[in-house]
C-alpha cells in the first residue's frame, strides 16, 4: 500500500520520521529497516482513523494510537476524556490495555500516535504526537515486562 492509498501523505511520513528519530534512536532505524515505510504509513493511517473515534468533549483534540503486532495485525486505541482530567485515558494506554487483554502484549513491535483537533468527524492537521510522561512509563514497563 502506498502512502497515498493509506491516506497518509509522504510529507507526513517524512515529518514523523524526523520528529521520532531523536527520541527513538537506533530503535527507529531498526524499525525503518525491518518494518518499512508501508507498515509505518498503515500504522499512522490506523491511528488517524482511531483518533476520529476519540471521546474528547472537553479538548476536542482526538488522539489515536496504533500498535503493530508481530503477525502484521494492528490494534488501535483512542483517547477517552473525563471531567476529572486525571481520570482521562490516553490512546496509547487504551491500545496497550486492549492488546494485553488479548494476551498479546509480548507481540507488540511498534506504536504510532497521531493527534489533532476533531472537525466534522475528521482529524484536522497532520500531527504525529509524542506520548506524555505517564504513557512513556506504561510503554516502557510493557516493553520490559517480557525481557
Amino acid at each position: 500500500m502506498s502512502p497515498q492509498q493509506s491516506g497518509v501523505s509522504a510529507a507526513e511520513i517524512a515529518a514523523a520520521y524526523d520528529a521520532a528519530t531523536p527520541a527513538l534512536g537506533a530503535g527507529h532505524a531498526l524499525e525503518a529497516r525491518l518494518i518499512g515505510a508501508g507498515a509505518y504509513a498503515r500504522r499512522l493511517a490506523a491511528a488517524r482513523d482511531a483518533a476520529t473515534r476519540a471521546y474528547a468533549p472537553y479538548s476536542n483534540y482526538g488522539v489515536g494510537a496504533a500498535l503493530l503486532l508481530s503477525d502484521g495485525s494492528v490494534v488501535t486505541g483512542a483517547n477517552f476524556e473525563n471531567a476529572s482530567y486525571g481520570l482521562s485515558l490516553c490512546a496509547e494506554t487504551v491500545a496497550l490495555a486492549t492488546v494485553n487483554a488479548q494476551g498479546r502484549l509480548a507481540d507488540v513491535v511498534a506504536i504510532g500516535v497521531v493527534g489533532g483537533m476533531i472537525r466534522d468527524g475528521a482529524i484536522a492537521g497532520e500531527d504525529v504526537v509524542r506520548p506524555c510522561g505517564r504513557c512513556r512509563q506504561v510503554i516502557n514497563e510493557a516493553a520490559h515486562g517480557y525481557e
Side-chain angles (χ1 to χ4, degrees), residues 18-83:
D18 290 346
T21 299
L24 298 176
H28 175 73
L30 178 64
E31 177 185 356
R33 216 171 44 247
L34 295 178
I35 298 172
Y40 187 79
R42 194 180 96 194
R43 195 169 67 251
L44 285 181
R48 174 179 313 255
D49 182 56
T52 66
R53 291 186 298 281
Y55 177 73
Y58 306 103
S59 70
N60 207 35
Y61 192 85
V63 179
L67 306 176
L68 176 66
L69 304 184
S70 57
D71 66 359
S73 61
V74 175
V75 174
T76 61
N79 59 316
F80 196 93
E81 292 180 352
N82 188 279

Side-chain angles (χ1 to χ4, degrees), residues 10 76 111 135 145:
T76 61
I111 184 169
C135 286

Side-chain angles (χ1 to χ4, degrees), residues 40-141:
Y40 187 79
R42 194 180 96 194
R43 195 169 67 251
L44 285 181
R48 174 179 313 255
D49 182 56
T52 66
R53 291 186 298 281
Y55 177 73
Y58 306 103
S59 70
N60 207 35
Y61 192 85
V63 179
L67 306 176
L68 176 66
L69 304 184
S70 57
D71 66 359
S73 61
V74 175
V75 174
T76 61
N79 59 316
F80 196 93
E81 292 180 352
N82 188 279
S84 174
Y85 180 74
L87 297 179
S88 294
L89 302 172
C90 295
E92 304 91 319
T93 54
V94 170
L96 283 168
T98 300
V99 168
N100 187 57
Q102 296 171 354
R104 301 204 56 204
L105 190 59
D107 295 338
V108 175
V109 174
I111 184 169
V113 186
V114 175
M117 297 303 293
I118 302 170
R119 295 197 178 106
D120 299 322
I123 299 300
E126 297 184 348
D127 294 338
V128 174
V129 297
R130 292 187 174 100
C132 69
R134 175 180 171 263
C135 286
R136 288 175 192 243
Q137 181 63 29
V138 170
I139 293 166
N140 183 56
E141 287 195 25

